[in-house]
Amino acid sequence: MVGASLAGLSAARSLRKQGYDGRLVVIGDEVHRPYDRPPLSKEFLAGGIGEADLALEPDDEDLQAEWLLGTRAAGLGSAPRSVRLTDGREVRADGIVIATGASARTLPGMDGLAGVHTLRTLDDARGLRDELTRGGRLVVIGGGFIGAEVASTAHTLGLDVTIVEAAPTALAGPLGATMGGIVSALHADHGVRLLCGTGVKGLSGETRVDGVLMEDGRSIPADIVVVGIGARPCVEWLVGSRVQLADGVRCGADGRTSLAGVVAVGDCASWYDPRAGTHRRVEHWTGARERPDAAVAALLSWGESEPGIPRPPYFWSDQYGVKIQFVGNAARADSVTIEDGTVDDRNVLAVYRRAGHPVAVLGMNQPRLFMRWRKQLAARTS
Ligand SMILES: Cc1cc2nc3c(=O)[nH]c(=O)nc-3n(C[C@H](O)[C@H](O)[C@H](O)COP(=O)(O)OP(=O)(O)OC[C@H]3O[C@@H](n4cnc5c(N)ncnc54)[C@H](O)[C@@H]3O)c2cc1C
């Protein structure tokens, strides 16, 4: 197992559940045992929970695994299936699960400038949380989900918050322009400025950031800056190997890679989506938790089993006390209609359709109705 986070841990659990009782080695470059990332932009950042609450393993769980933490994989080794580590060691295996996730994208010129943060790891969250407790003006670069959640948390902590987003509407990528606009109106409801349609040229400040320079010439003063411009799959260690890469590790509909005995799961993996007929990398907690079951089944029965159809991708987000839930693929839709609730109350159930058939569903504070639709969508498309 390369990657000791949600997808790696879930794959280890699946292996044991599916009867594998051999040697299991988990290699992870962070020094921490697996922890949960969603609270890093929510309750943990707000100070509502501590580090112990992030643990993904219950105290009594023992997977009989060898944990090589603080250890980075440098590549696949020369043996048919082996992993080369940066310290020179090589781990040989009968099967390999690639679960190296993704890392936050950065902006040129941000390295070494105090007050500028990305948010992906526990260490990132510790640093940002310390800074936010001092208050001041926060500028979030990027109006995606992580940026929006950081803005919402910082607002509750009393900071003065501005979000800048290069696209004409925030969240248009995952939700489409109409619903992206409706969900991101939550910022204005709470007095958080959302400036769309202009890119960022750079950051100002000598040793510490003091502003964000916009492409239209404006300068937005800042005491703290969070760069939330997406993530890139951690697959550089596989470049030059026989594992095919294309926006992450290219996989079949059950996580099989181009190399026999090697599967990939979680944020680093671009699985074939039989519904859309294309490959798609999803960076969602539920996919990292659920899909390892299928990948491990494929690993244990290589060449003997046919891939099933994974459940449609699902994610949630919490912003300003509103629960946002989404399932499916908005990019496939040719229409979207609000089926329940009202936009003004920020209480909406919207269904995305293609040629009249549902392909995605969005809920804002509609957990029960949303769950019904989620089940229906999974049943329809399986
Ligand atoms: C702040 C934040 C909030 C989020 N909120 C939500 C949410 O509300 N809802 C939702 O659905 N999803 C959310 N997510 C996404 C969710 O957390 C991810 O989808 C999930 O963590 C993916 O798990 P993973 O194991 O695939 O990857 P990761 O959690 O990224 O873990 C990969 C691990 O592999 C390690 N690694 C990388 N390269 C190597 C190497 N060469 N050798 C060894 N180890 C390596 C990494 O350091 C890391 O520890 C959020 C993510 C973040 C960062």
Side-chain angles (χ1 to χ4, degrees):
M1 220 76 59
V2 189
S5 183
L6 178 65
L9 174 66
S10 304
R13 285 179 179 148
S14 302
L15 274 162
R16 292 304 189 212
K17 204 169 59 190
Q18 293 181 35
Y20 173 73
D21 59 4
R23 184 174 176 225
L24 190 57
V25 181
V26 187
I27 301 160
D29 66 353
E30 291 185 76
V31 292
H32 312 291
R33 295 293 288 213
Y35 60 87
D36 213 15
R37 290 180 207 271
L40 299 182
S41 49
K42 310 176 184 78
E43 306 91 318
F44 180 80
L45 195 61
I49 62 170
E51 292 185 15
D53 302 308
L54 300 175
L56 282 172
E57 300 162 286
D59 289 343
D60 58 355
E61 181 169 41
D62 183 5
L63 293 167
Q64 298 284 313
E66 294 166 42
W67 293 83
L68 303 184
L69 298 179
T71 305
R72 194 169 172 72
L76 295 186
S78 46
R81 269 183 298 279
S82 65
V83 177
R84 216 167 8 90
L85 307 179
T86 46
D87 61 14
R89 282 179 294 168
E90 192 160 312
V91 181
R92 288 178 178 231
D94 298 310
I96 297 175
V97 178
I98 298 170
T100 44
S103 61
R105 287 183 193 278
T106 54
L107 279 178
M110 64 177 269
D111 282 351
L113 198 56
V116 185
H117 299 259
T118 53
L119 180 56
R120 180 78 199 180
T121 66
L122 173 58
D123 298 342
D124 295 339
R126 284 174 179 160
L128 179 59
R129 185 161 88 158
D130 286 352
E131 287 234 62
L132 293 184
T133 53
R134 288 188 223 124
R137 295 162 301 182
L138 168 71
V139 177
V140 177
I141 301 177
F145 281 106
I146 303 247
E149 289 177 0
V150 169
S152 157
T153 302
H155 169 74
T156 58
L157 293 173
L159 281 88
D160 174 74
V161 185
T162 305
I163 304 172
V164 295
E165 164 60 53
T169 319
L171 300 176
L175 302 184
T178 308
M179 296 315 297
I182 289 172
V183 172
S184 48
L186 286 170
H187 299 301
D189 292 350
H190 294 83
V192 167
R193 286 176 293 279
L194 171 61
L195 310 177
C196 288
T198 310
V200 166
K201 201 165 93 189
L203 302 169
S204 60
E206 290 291 317
T207 54
R208 189 177 171 89
V209 72
D210 60 23
V212 174
L213 307 172
M214 305 298 290
E215 276 171 350
D216 63 6
R218 274 179 297 174
S219 170
I220 302 169
D223 304 304
I224 309 167
V225 169
V226 170
V227 177
I229 54 172
R232 46 169 203 85
C234 295
V235 292
E236 63 292 334
W237 65 283
L238 291 164
V239 170
S241 75
R242 282 188 292 136
V243 171
Q244 196 186 348
L245 304 176
D247 184 31
V249 181
R250 200 172 172 88
C251 299
D254 56 3
R256 273 177 240 225
T257 71
S258 54
L259 195 56
V262 180
V263 295
V265 289
D267 286 13
C268 70
S270 178
W271 282 36
Y272 180 69
D273 177 352
R275 295 177 195 88
T278 55
H279 284 79
R280 196 165 164 228
R281 194 171 64 79
V282 289
E283 296 176 357
H284 306 335
W285 191 96
T286 307
R289 173 76 189 76
E290 289 180 349
R291 291 189 172 189
D293 267 347
V296 159
L299 191 63
L300 295 177
S301 63
W302 203 274
E304 291 163 22
S305 61
E306 283 296 314
I309 297 188
R311 291 212 294 167
Y314 162 78
F315 68 85
W316 78 94
S317 175
D318 299 307
Q319 298 170 31
Y320 308 100
V322 175
K323 165 78 69 201
I324 298 152
Q325 294 169 291
F326 185 86
V327 63
N329 184 350
R332 297 188 60 214
D334 53 31
S335 71
V336 56
T337 49
I338 292 176
E339 309 262 322
D340 204 86
T342 59
V343 170
D344 288 348
D345 295 338
R346 307 295 181 233
N347 179 315
V348 160
L349 192 291
V351 179
Y352 298 67
R353 290 187 171 83
R354 181 188 181 88
H357 299 291
V359 290
V361 181
L362 168 74
M364 285 177 84
N365 272 346
Q366 288 268 7
R368 288 177 54 176
L369 195 52
F370 177 86
M371 277 306 161
R372 278 218 295 278
W373 270 99
R374 186 182 172 197
K375 277 191 198 138
Q376 274 180 39
L377 198 68
R380 270 191 67 82
T381 54
S382 65

